[in-house]
Amino acid sequence: MTITLALSKGRIFDDSMPLLKAAGIEVLEDPEQSRKLILGTSRPDVRVVLVRASDVPTYVQYGGADLGVAGHDILLEHGGQGLYQPLDLGIARCRLSVAVRADFDYAAAVKQGSRIRVATKYTQCARDHFADKGVHVDLIKLYGSMELAPLTGLADAIVDLVSTGNTLKANGLVEVEQIMPISARLIVNQAALKLKREALRALIDAFEGATAARTLRAS
Ligand code: AMP
């Protein structure tokens, strides 16, 4: 019985490697050096599939992968239907924030009850956040380079992930509100959890042990 793990390239892939190692699994190829989308591992019964970050929940939901690692931001946008989410892995940490041009008075716009134009990839999270605060917004869906929107007049504000803050700074933007902290979670297909119970449980337990050990080391 093969187990398929869905990962996205970059931060999630890199931060997942120590967790896989703790579970006794080594990925045999470097995704940055190879064009392959299916990577073998040191365990003949475990393979990794590389998909776009926003497609990881979809692969796991429909059984294209048994389990995966996805950012909380991606899961909130997806809705999480059909997914068992047993573990916050504490990796790929960042925050979802509101940012504006340094010369835009966000607090005044909110206070006056003005309609604020907000560009974001995270329309669901943004809608919920501004509705909770009672702020009127027009949302503009973008798929990337959100920092450009306030600079070109497309929007007053953006909702985007912030890690070091360097990207905002480099584009003359300032963070005016933190919506929520974000980290990546383990997600599991619910049917697979029944059919491949033992193998998946062992993997989840190993990830859990490695996550707890890392938390202890950090404290
Ligand atoms: P930074 O300049 O370190 O604040 O990083 C901000 C840029 O990296 C933005 O374009 C974000 O969309 C992206 N980013 C930051 N953290 C993450 C993360 N954990 N997952 C995915 N994208 C991220």
Side-chain angles (χ1 to χ4, degrees):
M1 204 183 307
T2 303
I3 291 180
T4 302
L5 169 68
L7 296 176
S8 52
K9 275 200 212 179
R11 228 171 299 221
I12 297 249
F13 185 91
D14 297 345
D15 288 0
S16 295
M17 289 306 104
L19 295 174
L20 282 177
K21 213 168 184 174
I25 299 167
E26 300 249 14
V27 177
L28 299 177
E29 266 166 300
D30 176 358
E32 302 302 334
Q33 305 293 329
S34 156
R35 285 171 184 273
K36 278 193 192 167
L37 297 174
I38 301 181
L39 308 178
T41 75
S42 52
R43 280 233 330 240
D45 61 331
V46 178
R47 62 182 188 166
V48 169
V49 292
L50 296 174
V51 301
R52 260 187 95 111
S54 48
D55 291 337
V56 170
T58 309
Y59 268 82
V60 177
Q61 177 185 5
Y62 293 108
D66 299 304
L67 72 176
V69 177
H72 189 44
D73 52 312
I74 302 283
L75 289 168
L76 289 172
E77 290 300 314
H78 170 270
Q81 308 89 328
L83 301 174
Y84 171 53
Q85 300 185 31
L87 201 53
D88 183 345
L89 297 169
I91 59 174
R93 281 179 186 280
C94 58
R95 53 195 185 268
L96 188 68
S97 293
V98 182
V100 298
R101 249 166 62 164
D103 59 2
F104 181 80
D105 192 342
Y106 176 74
V110 169
K111 211 166 159 196
Q112 285 160 16
S114 318
R115 272 198 105 75
I116 301 174
R117 285 215 295 179
V118 180
T120 187
K121 189 162 106 183
Y122 306 99
T123 45
Q124 198 55 48
C125 294
R127 188 173 293 115
D128 292 347
H129 171 71
F130 291 113
D132 280 353
K133 287 192 43 135
V135 175
H136 301 289
V137 292
D138 290 319
L139 291 174
I140 301 172
K141 169 91 184 180
L142 288 179
Y143 293 89
S145 301
M146 278 160 267
E147 300 83 11
L148 202 53
L151 305 179
T152 53
L154 179 67
D156 304 310
I158 60 170
V159 167
D160 194 9
L161 299 178
V162 179
S163 176
T164 60
N166 290 340
T167 306
L168 292 181
K169 206 166 165 191
N171 290 291
L173 302 179
V174 289
E175 191 177 3
V176 286
E177 214 158 64
Q178 297 192 3
I179 299 177
M180 65 177 92
I182 298 283
S183 54
R185 288 161 192 231
L186 187 66
I187 55 174
V188 185
N189 175 278
Q190 285 177 342
L193 192 61
K194 295 200 184 93
L195 291 168
K196 305 179 182 179
R197 184 159 193 97
E198 265 169 54
L200 287 177
R201 207 62 254 184
L203 266 183
I204 295 167
D205 288 349
F207 283 170
E208 193 163 13
T211 303
R214 201 194 46 237
T215 311
L216 263 183
R217 277 198 307 276
S219 64

